[in-house]
Amino acid sequence: MGTPQKDVVIKPDAPSTLFLEKHADYIASYGAKKDDYEYCMSEYLRMSGVYWGLTVMDLMGQLQRMTKEEILAFIKSCQHECGGISASIGHDPHLLYTLSAVQILTLYDSLHVVDVNKIVDYVKSLQKEDGSFAGDKWGEIDTRFSFCAAATLALLGKLDVVDVEKAVEFVLSCMNFDGGFGCRPGSESHAGQDFWP
């Protein structure tokens, strides 16, 4: 056996400091040029991207640099009549983006911007007889969506509107012989699925 190859070689004179201000500048500037290719191509995950950006800005103590009013107006414009929230204007609502939006609204203490009762009804409508949750009206089942449903309702203080016991039973039915979880019963184990339950 030879000497293992390194993927990356870090030079001795490489910076050893995290440049928080540069990171904050990058996040704050993202989306300023709405005609940029990257901005346009990421529309399908915009709501989660906004959540990720706001979270990191909050962690760096830079949340005040973000345009709260514009963000809240965007979230409001993404809520559908069914109560669910979409990734961006003109997209279908989904549990992933509904959770991202609720997390943003919680961060800003601004749940009043949306119809919370409709969100609760939307999440409740996606629980299936076996306790699982569909991500949206198209019906894909995945334990990630069980997490999104539980987290959304917990943040709203409404976890009691769904059958939590059945939801737990469904997640446990996705556990495999190796101790890992799949996205549905019989699906292969995946580290990502182990995180969600």
Side-chain angles (χ1 to χ4, degrees):
M1 259 190 148
T3 305
Q5 295 291 323
K6 294 183 179 179
D7 289 340
V8 177
V9 176
I10 300 174
K11 296 178 182 180
D13 62 338
S16 60
T17 304
L18 181 60
F19 297 110
L20 288 179
E21 194 62 34
K22 287 188 178 282
H23 287 288
D25 289 346
Y26 173 77
I27 298 296
S29 70
Y30 185 80
K33 298 178 184 173
K34 298 198 181 344
D35 291 335
D36 278 359
Y37 177 77
E38 291 84 7
Y39 185 83
C40 294
M41 293 308 293
S42 62
E43 181 181 75
Y44 71 97
L45 54 75
R46 178 88 60 239
M47 190 66 70
S48 291
V50 171
Y51 166 69
W52 300 325
L54 291 174
T55 300
V56 76
M57 291 298 273
D58 191 37
L59 288 171
M60 292 188 291
Q62 299 288 318
L63 188 60
Q64 76 283 354
R65 292 182 60 184
M66 306 307 282
T67 53
K68 177 180 175 181
E69 295 74 25
E70 182 182 342
I71 292 165
L72 296 180
F74 171 70
I75 293 171
K76 183 178 179 70
S77 69
C78 291
Q79 186 172 31
H80 291 249
E81 186 58 35
C82 67
I85 298 172
S86 58
S88 193
I89 299 165
H91 290 244
D92 289 338
H94 195 285
L95 265 176
L96 289 169
Y97 307 116
T98 301
L99 173 58
S100 291
V102 168
Q103 289 171 314
I104 294 166
L105 295 170
T106 302
L107 181 66
Y108 277 133
D109 194 24
S110 296
L111 285 170
H112 65 276
V113 169
V114 293
D115 189 328
V116 171
N117 291 327
K118 282 188 174 184
I119 291 175
V120 171
D121 290 342
Y122 174 72
V123 174
K124 182 180 177 181
S125 76
L126 294 171
Q127 189 171 32
K128 303 301 175 194
E129 187 63 35
D130 65 356
S132 66
F133 284 86
D136 58 19
K137 69 179 181 179
W138 304 109
E140 179 186 7
I141 302 296
D142 190 314
T143 51
R144 292 176 300 155
F145 308 147
S146 296
F147 171 82
C148 290
T152 299
L153 294 174
L155 286 169
L156 298 175
K158 299 289 187 175
L159 197 53
D160 61 330
V161 303
V162 294
D163 192 330
V164 175
E165 190 173 314
K166 276 198 163 189
V168 170
E169 287 173 14
F170 172 75
V171 170
L172 289 174
S173 76
C174 297
M175 187 176 198
N176 292 315
F177 70 93
D178 59 4
F181 288 83
C183 57
R184 290 177 296 283
S187 295
E188 68 178 323
S189 297
H190 190 286
Q193 302 309 129
D194 291 345
F195 170 78
W196 297 104

